[in-house]
Amino acid sequence: MSRRTGRDRFAGLLLAGVLAVLATACSGSAGSAPPDCPDSALTCPASGPTGTPGTPGTPGTPGTAGTASPTAAPGTSPGPTATAGADGASGKPTSQAACASPAACGFPGARTTGPRIPLTPHNTGNLSVRENGTVIRGWDITGSLDIYADDVTVIDTRITSANWWGVNLRPGHKGLRILHTTITAVPGKGPDNGGVDYAVSNMGTSSIEVGWCDVSVFGDALSMGQGDIHDNYVHDIAPFVNQSGEWQHTNAVISGGGNTGNLVIRHNTLLNPTGLQQGASGSIGLFADTGVVRNVTVDHNWIAGGAYALYGGATGATGIKVTDNVFSTQYHPASGGYGTVAHWNADGAGNEWRGNRLSDGRPVQPEPSS
């Protein structure tokens, strides 16, 4: 190996120093965020939520349209392949593939989601947003957001809703992004005896992005046929009895089928602790309620709870890729109360099931379709 010159050493030290400064600009200690982390740096690591009042964001101001990307998948390898049992799980636990908790294997939690900056209270009620390019940042909202505009960004914000949604994108609009935001609700309020149904509802036919968000309470937390759902922490879903006197079905992520675009669910912690007698449906529910389910990627998630942890799209579902997920046994031995996965269409074109396991290391395979 040739010897490096003094100039080479100086250049190396200078480059290391520049990289260190850049890394510091997009990092922060727990409970605070760097004040100079720009809107364009939407992938800056979250440092944990904060509730200290600060400077409000400004609606109606065009934002910088940076593209947020999912974080790297956890560095764990799936367990060995084995024959499936009746509950979808099989084989002897493999300790090196086991995950004791979401945090232990690098999945999102309270410290990696939600706002990174101080917030200012805003009692908005149901606020209709009608100006394209609106950016809402740094708000602690008591109310909900009804979006009648394109390219709206909600970032570093907290929403506490008594409506049936936290953020709702109306038909005909596109480009909604909800990033580093806490979305929760007030149980017992809303039009359905506590029916605050959707933390995020996409009523349109275009993709939206939900990333690094802390979501709780809502019966069906994230509802959309197309979108990019990544790096979120969905937890503490609150069951309720609706006006018909029935338990509302609950899902951490729900899609009703008939989608025209792609739905990507990647690197989230999705928890549905609802009891089986209180309306539990799925942690991820891909249902053919309004049409065929197609083009959905479920990759590198921590999934727990529901009647079945995953409803896979049923007959006719195509392009469904379920890969490298951890199905946690924290609520039920098979992740879901009745099993790990239901309604998986193994023969659908483009459907793929690979590398999925229980949190104790046992590989998971869907039951044969009937």
Side-chain angles (χ1 to χ4, degrees), residues 83-90 307-308 310 312 334 336-347 353 363-370:
T83 304
D87 62 358
S90 61
Y308 286 89
L310 171 67
Y338 298 132
T340 310
V341 54
H343 304 300
W344 173 253
N345 182 17
D347 299 325
W353 183 280
V364 176
Q365 291 291 338
E367 296 179 16
S369 55
S370 57

Side-chain angles (χ1 to χ4, degrees), residues 9-356:
R9 287 196 299 271
F10 176 79
L13 290 172
L14 180 60
L15 178 59
V18 170
L19 292 176
V21 170
L22 291 175
T24 302
C26 278
S27 63
S29 58
S32 64
D36 58 348
C37 197
D39 287 351
S40 59
L42 295 178
T43 57
C44 289
S47 57
T50 176
T52 306
T55 304
T58 305
T61 304
T64 52
T67 301
S69 302
T71 59
T76 54
S77 58
T81 303
T83 304
D87 62 358
S90 61
K92 183 178 179 180
T94 306
S95 58
Q96 68 181 35
C99 283
S101 67
C105 285
F107 289 96
R111 292 183 61 83
T112 62
T113 56
R116 304 163 295 175
I117 62 175
L119 308 179
T120 295
H122 285 74
N123 190 355
T124 65
N126 178 28
L127 177 64
S128 294
V129 179
R130 299 181 180 274
E131 183 173 346
N132 291 345
T134 294
V135 175
I136 296 176
R137 179 170 185 155
W139 286 32
D140 188 349
I141 293 173
T142 301
S144 56
L145 300 176
D146 205 3
I147 311 298
Y148 293 88
D150 295 343
D151 303 319
V152 172
T153 298
V154 181
I155 184 171
D156 290 316
T157 290
R158 177 182 173 89
I159 298 170
T160 304
S161 174
N163 209 331
W164 61 266
W165 70 80
V167 184
N168 183 37
L169 180 66
R170 291 291 178 168
H173 296 287
K174 62 182 181 180
L176 175 64
R177 303 161 76 207
I178 307 169
L179 309 172
H180 294 290
T181 291
T182 293
I183 310 173
T184 190
V186 182
K189 303 295 184 181
D192 258 346
N193 295 329
V196 270
D197 294 70
Y198 307 112
V200 178
S201 169
N202 182 6
M203 299 177 71
T205 57
S206 65
S207 179
I208 70 174
E209 181 183 6
V210 183
W212 303 285
C213 290
D214 183 323
V215 179
S216 61
V217 179
F218 292 91
D220 282 323
L222 303 177
S223 173
M224 62 194 73
Q226 42 272 318
D228 183 5
I229 300 173
H230 64 86
D231 299 285
N232 302 290
Y233 174 44
V234 181
H235 60 102
D236 294 313
I237 291 174
F240 62 89
V241 176
N242 61 27
Q243 289 182 343
S244 300
E246 300 175 344
W247 286 102
Q248 172 69 36
H249 289 173
T250 60
N251 298 271
V253 176
I254 184 171
S255 179
N259 55 304
T260 57
N262 296 314
L263 176 60
V264 177
I265 307 167
R266 176 171 285 127
H267 198 240
N268 304 278
T269 298
L270 304 173
L271 310 179
N272 185 357
T274 307
L276 295 176
Q277 305 306 315
Q278 296 178 305
S281 183
S283 181
I284 298 177
L286 307 178
F287 302 113
D289 293 337
T290 59
V292 173
V293 180
R294 58 174 70 89
N295 301 330
V296 180
T297 296
V298 180
D299 178 62
H300 279 98
N301 299 281
W302 177 280
I303 302 170
Y308 286 89
L310 171 67
Y311 287 81
T315 302
T318 60
I320 314 300
K321 301 182 185 300
V322 182
T323 55
D324 298 318
N325 297 283
V326 176
F327 289 88
S328 170
T329 60
Q330 63 196 88
Y331 303 128
H332 307 286
S335 192
Y338 298 132
T340 310
V341 54
H343 304 300
W344 173 253
N345 182 17
D347 299 325
N351 291 353
E352 180 182 359
W353 183 280
R354 172 175 49 80
N356 303 295

